[in-house]
Amino acid sequence: MDATAALAAAGGFEAVQMREVAESAGVALGTLYRYFPSKIHLLVAVLHDQLGQLRATLRERPLPEEDPAERLEHALRRAFRAHQREPLLAEAMMRALLFADGSAREEVAAVTRLTGEILRDASGLPEAEARRQEGALRVIRHTWQSALLSWLSGHCTLAEAHADVATACRLVTRPGETEPDGVKMTSTVHPRAGEDRCESGADPQP
């Protein structure tokens, strides 16, 4: 995956070709295909690895805020800063996530689960309260990914992306607080492992 990340960081999505990855990594092309059927699988795996690093950083450097919305906004700003350092890699990973088809279902599901875990950790909410606000956390994930891709594609400014994420983060409330007027973000049905169903009443997002 290091070879994939290096190629993407230097040349973006189009620069990641299976043969070049195999040569850079010093492995046979057939061996690479045995573990990763396409560059989409490779880049989604790199994204999962990057998210794992983000989670480790958040645990090593705990968030100082007490308010769940502020904690989430802080955590996602950290993630944006990491992507700012290597925008071509970030765009390649997000394009792979967007283009992934059913053959990469397990890899995408793993990214979805890990992202959800990062958001639950970042919120600082007790486990039961995080489950109650699962719908809000899911909307935050969708908004973060959409805002990140829009910024990387040049369709919005960084300030606009941060503003969108901050707005979504305010859907999460402190334990005992009521939800925003007209918004019901609690979940009554929990998806099975590997599934990502929208139970919040909001429109499903890609």
Side-chain angles (χ1 to χ4, degrees):
M1 286 190 292
D2 288 345
T4 303
L7 287 168
F13 183 82
E14 299 302 334
V16 179
Q17 302 297 327
M18 297 296 280
R19 185 173 299 279
E20 282 74 9
V21 171
E23 291 176 356
S24 180
V27 300
L29 184 59
T31 301
L32 181 64
Y33 272 112
R34 187 178 310 143
Y35 292 99
F36 300 100
S38 73
K39 75 177 190 178
I40 297 294
H41 293 76
L42 270 170
L43 286 165
V44 173
V46 172
L47 175 58
H48 188 273
D49 182 66
Q50 296 265 320
L51 288 170
Q53 294 178 37
L54 171 62
R55 188 181 194 185
T57 299
L58 290 171
R59 289 180 170 181
E60 291 169 4
R61 297 163 50 198
L63 299 166
E65 296 86 356
E66 294 185 3
D67 181 74
E70 292 177 358
R71 289 173 60 88
L72 284 160
E73 184 180 354
H74 186 165
L76 295 177
R77 278 181 177 269
R78 283 190 189 178
F80 262 102
R81 284 197 294 271
H83 292 314
Q84 281 179 271
R85 289 192 289 270
E86 294 184 307
L88 291 178
L89 171 59
E91 184 179 15
M93 294 186 300
M94 296 310 296
R95 285 181 65 183
L97 188 65
L98 181 65
F99 295 157
D101 59 17
S103 68
R105 179 182 178 85
E106 292 184 8
E107 291 82 356
V108 171
V111 166
T112 297
R113 286 193 298 271
L114 182 54
T115 306
E117 290 166 7
I118 290 170
L119 294 177
R120 286 192 293 275
D121 288 351
S123 74
L125 293 169
E127 183 177 352
E129 184 66 20
R131 286 199 303 268
R132 187 184 74 81
Q133 299 197 53
E134 182 182 342
L137 292 171
R138 185 167 54 246
V139 171
I140 292 169
R141 172 170 58 81
H142 289 314
T143 303
W144 173 42
Q145 292 175 344
S146 177
L148 175 59
L149 187 57
S150 292
W151 169 66
L152 289 166
S153 302
H155 298 312
C156 73
T157 66
L158 184 60
E160 289 170 336
H162 283 321
D164 289 348
V165 170
T167 298
C169 287
R170 287 195 289 273
L171 291 171
V172 170
T173 60
R174 293 173 183 264
E177 287 184 353
T178 58
E179 293 159 336
D181 290 343
V183 180
K184 182 174 179 57
M185 302 306 300
T186 55
S187 294
T188 56
V189 179
H190 297 284
R192 294 190 296 272
E195 294 183 339
D196 182 31
R197 298 176 181 171
C198 292
E199 303 293 349
S200 63
D203 291 335
Q205 306 239 354

